[in-house]
Amino acid sequence: MTEFARLRPHQLQAAIAANTPVVLPIGVLEYHGQHLPAGVDLLAVTQVLDRLGDRIITLPPFAYGAASHAVAGPEGKGTLHIDAGAILPLAEGLFMALLRAGFRNIHGVIHHQTEGFDQGMPTDLAFRLAGRNAIMRFLEATRGSGWWGDRAMQDYYARQAEGADPFNWIRIHPLFPKGAAYPFDHAGKGETALMQALAPDTVEMARAKEGDHWYTADAGEASAELGEAGVQIALAHLRQVLALN
């Protein structure tokens, strides 16, 4: 994994010329039972992306999403909730800056509340709307009013079918593909296994039953082997959506 922050200008220029994917890891800090860390959703993304090596450039991770207090209150549990309305202008500003810098292959990857990604949840929706807003603003600023109606855009629908239109410049993806054959849960068997495979130092299974939470009831069934199987599913999905195959 190549970190954006470590690249010098000539390296960034080469990445732009090569249309290298630039990826923003997106997560939240949220209570995940007594046996897992607050950063499960972020760590799952950053650690999987790390396995893609130098074929991508990663931006500094965004950890402060709209976690909500649906799982647990804010007192001493590790949940840091930032309203999606506050995230939107920051994300839009970031995407606009990347477009102005010359990047046209920008992605966000998220693993939080993505079981209903088609409809979306606050954090991913904020980033998805920010991406669309930034593209629209950038196109109008660089091509002028009426840019879409210009005759030069007459092949727009053909290019859209090829995935080459401007609205592919910024895309947000869930870590796992829709319908993945992997347990999707919150701090249960699936996420516990992911942390056992990706960040074993953050897992304390002796505390898995503390709190008597329904959503951690099957955490004891997790294993690093199951987690690794999930990692491979996520990697195959990301290689596809980032066109690394």
Side-chain angles (χ1 to χ4, degrees):
M1 176 174 70
T2 299
E3 297 178 27
F4 188 100
R6 292 180 176 271
L7 297 180
R8 295 180 295 278
H10 75 280
Q11 295 170 308
L12 291 169
Q13 291 159 17
I16 292 169
N19 204 31
T20 302
V22 177
V23 184
L24 174 67
I26 303 169
V28 304
L29 297 174
E30 179 184 33
Y31 179 68
H32 280 79
Q34 297 293 324
H35 66 300
L36 294 179
V40 166
D41 294 336
L42 183 67
L43 289 169
V45 174
T46 58
Q47 299 307 298
V48 170
L49 288 175
D50 188 55
R51 297 204 189 181
L52 293 176
D54 294 338
R55 301 180 70 188
I56 65 171
I57 294 172
T58 55
L59 292 159
F62 181 88
Y64 305 104
S68 90
H69 292 122
V71 174
E75 301 86 0
K77 295 292 181 65
T79 298
L80 303 180
H81 170 74
I82 308 299
D83 190 78
I87 298 169
L88 178 60
L90 186 153
E92 187 172 332
L94 171 60
F95 291 144
M96 191 70 172
L98 289 166
L99 290 173
R100 292 185 65 186
F103 293 98
R104 300 290 184 270
N105 194 5
I106 304 163
H107 303 263
V109 177
I110 183 171
H111 180 65
H112 175 69
Q113 298 178 333
T114 54
E115 63 270 32
F117 195 76
D118 289 347
Q119 291 296 317
M121 293 296 271
T123 302
D124 64 87
L125 285 173
F127 279 93
R128 291 157 76 178
L129 177 57
R132 287 294 187 256
N133 285 347
I135 291 168
M136 293 292 284
R137 283 179 52 209
F138 181 79
L139 289 170
E140 188 162 335
T142 56
R143 301 185 185 182
S145 298
W147 64 269
W148 189 87
D150 189 273
R151 186 167 292 277
M153 293 296 297
Q154 61 186 343
D155 64 346
Y156 170 79
Y157 288 111
R159 290 178 61 80
Q160 186 180 52
E162 298 169 1
D165 68 282
F167 294 102
N168 280 280
W169 290 350
I170 303 172
R171 289 178 288 166
I172 309 299
H173 314 281
L175 181 62
F176 283 91
K178 184 177 181 179
Y182 187 79
F184 199 100
D185 57 36
H186 178 83
K189 178 180 178 180
E191 287 195 333
T192 299
L194 279 180
M195 289 299 98
Q196 288 175 325
L198 294 169
D201 59 302
T202 68
V203 182
E204 189 175 358
M205 289 306 299
R207 294 183 178 272
K209 293 184 179 180
E210 292 183 14
D212 193 30
H213 305 308
W214 66 266
Y215 48 87
T216 62
D218 64 351
E221 300 174 21
S223 68
E225 291 74 20
L226 173 63
E228 185 58 34
V231 169
Q232 294 306 314
I233 292 171
L235 283 171
H237 169 60
L238 293 179
R239 290 189 184 105
Q240 179 180 22
V241 298
L242 299 177
L244 300 178
N245 293 326

